[in-house]
Structures are given as C-alpha cells and as structure tokens.
Amino acid sequence: QVQLVESGGGSVQAGGSLRLSCAASGSIVTINSMDWYREAPGKQRELVASIVSSGAADYIDSVKGRFTISIDDAKRTLYLQMNSLKPEDTAVYYCNGVIRTTDRSGYQIFWGVGTQVTVSS
C-alpha cells in the first residue's frame, strides 16, 4: 500500500546538525499531513513537528528555533532539519503520514520504521 522510509539519522556531537528524510511511496492519492515523532529510551513516543498540506507547521517547545519541518510534494518526501542538537534530542525518530490511498475513500495513518539519532555531549 504505502511505505514510509526514513533516512539521515546518525551520531553527532552536541551543537551539530542532521537532516532527516522520509520518502513516501505506494498507492498514494493525497497526503493530508505528516509528522515527525521521536522515542527516547524509557520514554513515551512524542510528537516533535507536524506539517499539513497547506504548509503550516508546528513544533514542540523544546525544538522551536532549532528544527524545521518541510515537505516536497513532488517528491512526496518529508524532511526534518535539526540544528543545534542537544543530547536530549537522542531518540529514534519516526515519520507518520495521514494519507488517502487508491483503495479506500478515507485517510489512513502510516508509520515509518524509524531512524536513530544520537547526540553526544
């Protein structure tokens, strides 16, 4: 149906930058919104940033001014530019999409498998 594949994770020192990508493929009709979540060891998965089809974006307070979410509609790829990374940003980052597919009338939620981001002090 729909596949979301994240890439761009890795290990960086505090203050460094990473750019995550999430490529969507499959039987996609429209993408309503996409999000980045993260899950740190021993913590619940949290919503980090979201973007809707109009381009409006929102962020949790802890990443405002450091992270930027964007989407390339033509490539159906979601990005998360992460600057000034901190050790507390260490987590597995997942992308999530609310997507209408060719085989159903409504929207469905799809998840990627995640990419590890490790920030050392």
Side-chain angles (χ1 to χ4, degrees):
Q1 255 192 348
V2 172
Q3 296 79 41
L4 300 180
V5 179
E6 301 98 335
S7 61
S11 297
V12 296
Q13 297 222 328
S17 298
L18 285 173
R19 188 193 194 203
L20 305 184
S21 300
C22 172
S25 63
S27 53
I28 296 170
V29 176
T30 57
I31 297 175
N32 181 63
S33 63
M34 295 193 79
D35 309 309
W36 285 102
Y37 283 75
R38 67 185 179 188
E39 188 171 336
K43 295 187 177 181
Q44 287 190 332
R45 189 173 298 189
E46 64 174 351
L47 176 61
V48 176
S50 59
I51 188 166
V52 296
S53 56
S54 66
D58 200 10
Y59 305 87
I60 56 171
D61 287 344
S62 61
V63 308
K64 283 181 180 177
R66 300 189 298 121
F67 290 10
T68 302
I69 189 172
S70 61
I71 189 166
D72 184 324
D73 291 324
K75 294 182 179 179
R76 289 177 171 171
T77 300
L78 178 72
Y79 301 99
L80 186 67
Q81 178 65 44
M82 306 186 295
N83 299 326
S84 302
L85 282 161
K86 303 176 180 180
E88 51 264 43
D89 294 319
T90 295
V92 178
Y93 284 71
Y94 300 88
C95 68
N96 161 299
V98 179
I99 299 170
R100 178 177 288 175
T101 59
T102 57
D103 61 334
R104 294 190 183 184
S105 60
Y107 285 93
Q108 300 174 72
I109 298 173
F110 296 92
W111 288 90
V113 297
T115 185
Q116 176 70 46
V117 171
T118 303
V119 185
S120 58
S121 58

